Amino acid sequence: MNSNLFWKLVFVVLVVVWSFSEITPPTNRDLIQHFETRAQEKDDAFNQIVAKARELQQEQPHREYGNLFDAVGDTDISKYFPFIDVKNEKDPKGRILKRLQKEASGQIQLGIDLQGGTYFVVQLDPDHITNKVAELTQQLTTATNDNQRSSLEYEIEKVQDTKRILGQAIEVLRKRVDSLGVAEPILQPLGNDRIVIQMPGLAQSSLESATNAIQKAAFLEFRLVHPDSGELAQDEIIPPGYELKTMSDKSRDGSMRLEKVIVGRQAEGGLTGKFVRNAYVSRDPMSNQPYIILNFDSEGGKLFGDLTSAHVNERLAIVLDGELYSAPNINEPILGGSCQITGDFTIDEAIELSNVLENPLEAPVKIMEQRTTDPSLGWDSIKAGLRATMIGLNTVVAFMFVYYMSCGVVANAALALNILFLLGVMCSINATLTLPGIAGILLTIGMAVDANVLIFERIREEINAGKGIRAAIASGYDKAFSTIFDANSTTLIASVILIVLGSGPVKGFGVTLTIGIAVSMFTALVVTRMIFDMLVARNVISKLSMLQFPFLHSTNFDFLKLSKPAFILSWTFIAIGVGYGVHRGSDAVGVDFKGGDQITFSFAEKPGIDELRKTVDGLDIGGSQIQYQKSMLDANETLTVLVLEGNGDKVVQALQQAHPAADLKAIGKETVGATVGAEILKSAIIAILLALFFILMFVAFRYEFSFAVAAIIAIFHDIFMTMGWYMLTGRELSAPIVAAVLTIIGFSINDTIVIFDRIREDLQLGLRGSFRDIINRAVNQTLGRTVITSGTTLISTGALYLFGGGVINDFAFTFLVGVITGTYSSIYIAAAIVLKWHKGEKPKTSPHAYNESAVVVPGA
């Protein structure tokens, strides 16, 4: 073995070892078991915690962290884990549990759609900021001295600093989310005024508490009640500087009564919730009614003491988020730096309120987008995705082994390394694996096979030309390199745009696909070449045998003969399909683009669509879409209902009450505001147009402008044809379908590039015949590669379609149609347009065209 080959082997082995280290351990260990194993000095109280956690785990098996969090409760567990430093920690319980959860976590991070949980996008309320600035500006115009003006100008500047407010909101919301018992919540800024909140493992039953914790601004103010409030409120006379509030309270007989109170418009002495150091819940020893105790910081304690000293025998209003909670009488100065908030609370409401009081937001936030997946549904998605991946992978491996024999063994070894390297890179950059990400892995398998097929078919040609094994391998890799580079580069353009412009699952798919493209090129061009060189150097192989079918490798069809009728037939069908989609109108658009609430239900008995529609229509909430979803070979069928935004909870309650025998359970919910939906649609269109523009530039640079125009027209053909089929089958457009369309763009140009590359090569070699003859010859020469690559990709995608379920099923259907259409359009659309463009004359190819002597192949 020469030194060059030796160091390549060392490098590949090091990459293998590194990949294994990055993905070990791949999956999560039992958190409760890890909690029990790591604990020291266990006692009865500890054993009760473990027993309670196990009991909760049986009830909700996919919520380990939340179950353990609930089982611990208020127990001080720091004594059991002395090796975890919790000194000066405000939340020692959270610190300990998160440390243990991290220790027990696997390296492959699952997205919300796989492990269950909720994904929120929240936005700072722009109206609040505008109104606050207007209020401060008004005060500025009436300021009487420089100090007041300077102070107000500083406050206006602070309110307008959305970056600072966004940072404060992230920290506040992080503290609130931590109190819900969520393992490793993720909060990230999105633009200048939005925040992405991912809460993995959050069960549907905890969703309401999470929503309340996020949306409450908790803007607490202490205002004075007007001395003549009773009389003024009765006559509804509101003096300047005051406003009328209504407060509910319980009378001694237990009945509720409402009291109208005249309170000041501003916080007295500037005393607001920002001075609250902590808040907690206690109970009245007589009535057992919960109330909230607030402790102020030193500045707040002084302000509160001064306020209560100056207004003895007056009433002090406690206003939270504009709502009057209580208005107790100040009987004496309160100098202890604390106070109580009483009201008609349940214990859960009191806990939620104390949590948000302790972590107030400077500006309220609105939930713009919400996607909830029950952990049980996420686990079903994992099983479906893994099953589809394994079936597709095993089928492709078997085909490669049978068809390419010894070369197939090399390709399959490279394929195994391809998956290992892909997962290793994803784990190293902490990329999240989503449901579309699984689709990306399977698509990567198809692309890795494509590169190997290109190489093997080139080697076959060289062997048939009479070259020896060593020369055939070297020449095969040299000639395939340009095609592989160009084809993968164009697909890479689409995948990078997915990362830049996509969000959530779409971005996850883009990350997986981008890594997969890079890794597949490495394994195809470096790893397999190294294996062949080693086998030849050690005389392990002296010849390469492959199956050969005459209808793939010895053809001489006149493909262009049918180009004109095929062109007309294609665009006729496109007109029918797209026209039907326009006719469907809003029914063809899913929640991602038009906004609304989409709820996914599981059921014990299947109610009829008409019965369900009658129930939903009876709510008088506008239009709705109701349908059942089921993958072709999957028994787990689900019901989805799409209604206008804000009506999801009403629909859940109405359907559960009207159809008790069905045992309907809401296992997933997506809420997308109309504004967000419009933004998603806009970004989808921009992503597709950008991909087409950069592909046009790349192909024009690498080939010739006519080739680029033909490729873009073929891509448009493939997009419209695929969407036509998609519409005719009654499916809805969603954000993941944008990923599918961009992937179709990548595949379509990939297939077209292979034919264009052979046309370019034949032109460079100066082969005899007309330009039409050269195009037909190139199509026939690449027919074997085209059929095999499209076939293996169809196998992988077919497994997704049959076994993936849910979003993956729609994605797979789209890509299945796209693969077939892309293969067809490369011949009858792209190649035919190039011929027509040049009026049958041979074009001059780009100076960047194929030049065999100048090609340097990695691994050569």
Side-chain angles (χ1 to χ4, degrees), residues 281-298:
V281 177
S282 187
R283 286 185 182 270
D284 188 299
M286 300 295 293
S287 65
N288 203 36
Q289 178 70 25
Y291 61 88
I292 299 162
I293 297 178
L294 298 179
N295 288 319
F296 297 102
D297 59 21
S298 57

Side-chain angles (χ1 to χ4, degrees), residues 753-769:
I753 286 292
V754 172
I755 295 175
F756 281 0
D757 188 74
R758 187 59 68 100
I759 294 172
R760 180 178 64 179
E761 180 183 338
D762 289 349
L763 288 170
Q764 291 280 332
L765 294 173
L767 297 182
R768 293 182 178 180

Side-chain angles (χ1 to χ4, degrees), residues 474-475 477-482 485 702 760 764-765 846-858 860:
S475 182
Y477 274 90
D478 287 349
K479 290 183 176 180
F481 174 76
S482 176
F485 175 80
R702 291 286 293 165
R760 180 178 64 179
Q764 291 280 332
L765 294 173
S846 165
H848 306 284
Y850 168 85
N851 184 345
E852 183 176 348
S853 63
V855 171
V856 179
V857 182

Side-chain angles (χ1 to χ4, degrees), residues 167 313 377 440 489 599 613 646 672 679 713:
N313 294 324
L377 182 62
S489 295
I599 308 98
R613 190 173 301 284
V672 179
E679 290 175 1
I713 294 174

Side-chain angles (χ1 to χ4, degrees), residues 256-270:
M256 295 298 299
R257 66 183 181 88
L258 297 177
E259 180 186 359
K260 293 181 178 179
V261 185
I262 303 293
V263 301
R265 287 185 175 275
Q266 302 294 329
E268 193 68 25

Side-chain angles (χ1 to χ4, degrees), residues 137 157 231 306 340 484 590 645 691 840 858:
T137 304
E157 188 177 327
E231 296 176 8
D306 293 344
Q340 297 178 6
I484 293 171
E645 184 185 1

Side-chain angles (χ1 to χ4, degrees), residues 607-624:
I609 290 285
D610 291 339
E611 300 171 31
L612 296 168
R613 190 173 301 284
K614 184 178 179 181
T615 302
V616 175
D617 289 347
L619 297 174
D620 193 25
I621 55 174
S624 64

Side-chain angles (χ1 to χ4, degrees), residues 610-828:
D610 291 339
E611 300 171 31
L612 296 168
R613 190 173 301 284
K614 184 178 179 181
T615 302
V616 175
D617 289 347
L619 297 174
D620 193 25
I621 55 174
S624 64
Q625 294 178 28
I626 304 173
Q627 63 181 1
Y628 287 102
Q629 290 187 341
K630 182 180 180 181
S631 60
M632 191 169 288
L633 298 180
D634 195 339
N636 295 324
E637 191 172 14
T638 57
L639 168 70
T640 61
V641 180
L642 174 61
V643 293
L644 295 176
E645 184 185 1
N647 294 302
D649 293 337
K650 293 179 188 176
V651 170
V652 172
Q653 187 176 5
L655 289 177
Q656 288 175 340
Q657 289 178 353
H659 307 278
D663 191 23
L664 294 168
K665 294 180 180 177
I667 56 176
K669 181 182 178 184
E670 295 185 37
T671 296
V672 179
T675 303
V676 174
E679 290 175 1
I680 293 174
L681 180 59
K682 180 181 176 182
S683 65
I685 294 172
I686 291 173
I688 291 172
L689 292 178
L690 278 176
L692 292 175
F693 173 76
F694 285 115
I695 287 172
L696 177 70
M697 294 296 100
F698 180 84
V699 177
F701 175 76
R702 291 286 293 165
Y703 292 84
E704 205 267 351
F705 186 69
S706 62
F707 285 55
V709 172
I712 294 301
I713 294 174
I715 289 172
F716 272 116
H717 166 275
D718 297 343
I719 293 172
F720 290 137
M721 181 71 80
T722 304
M723 288 296 95
W725 277 100
Y726 194 86
M727 293 300 174
L728 287 171
T729 54
R731 297 168 186 263
E732 294 179 358
L733 292 176
S734 61
I737 299 306
V738 176
V741 169
L742 281 165
T743 310
I744 289 169
I745 290 173
F747 183 88
S748 175
I749 190 65
N750 187 311
D751 201 52
T752 303
I753 286 292
V754 172
I755 295 175
F756 281 0
D757 188 74
R758 187 59 68 100
I759 294 172
R760 180 178 64 179
E761 180 183 338
D762 289 349
L763 288 170
Q764 291 280 332
L765 294 173
L767 297 182
R768 293 182 178 180
S770 66
F771 189 34
R772 177 192 176 93
D773 294 335
I774 287 176
I775 292 175
N776 266 320
R777 184 184 295 116
V779 174
N780 280 281
Q781 287 173 330
T782 57
L783 185 62
R785 173 266 165 201
T786 299
V787 172
I788 292 169
T789 297
S790 297
T792 52
T793 306
L794 284 172
I795 289 171
S796 301
T797 312
L800 281 177
Y801 176 71
L802 292 174
F803 305 104
V807 173
I808 279 189
N809 184 266
D810 284 347
F811 181 98
F813 175 84
T814 307
F815 197 61
L816 275 173
V817 177
V819 169
I820 297 170
T821 305
T823 304
Y824 157 86
S825 71
S826 298
I827 301 170
Y828 292 108

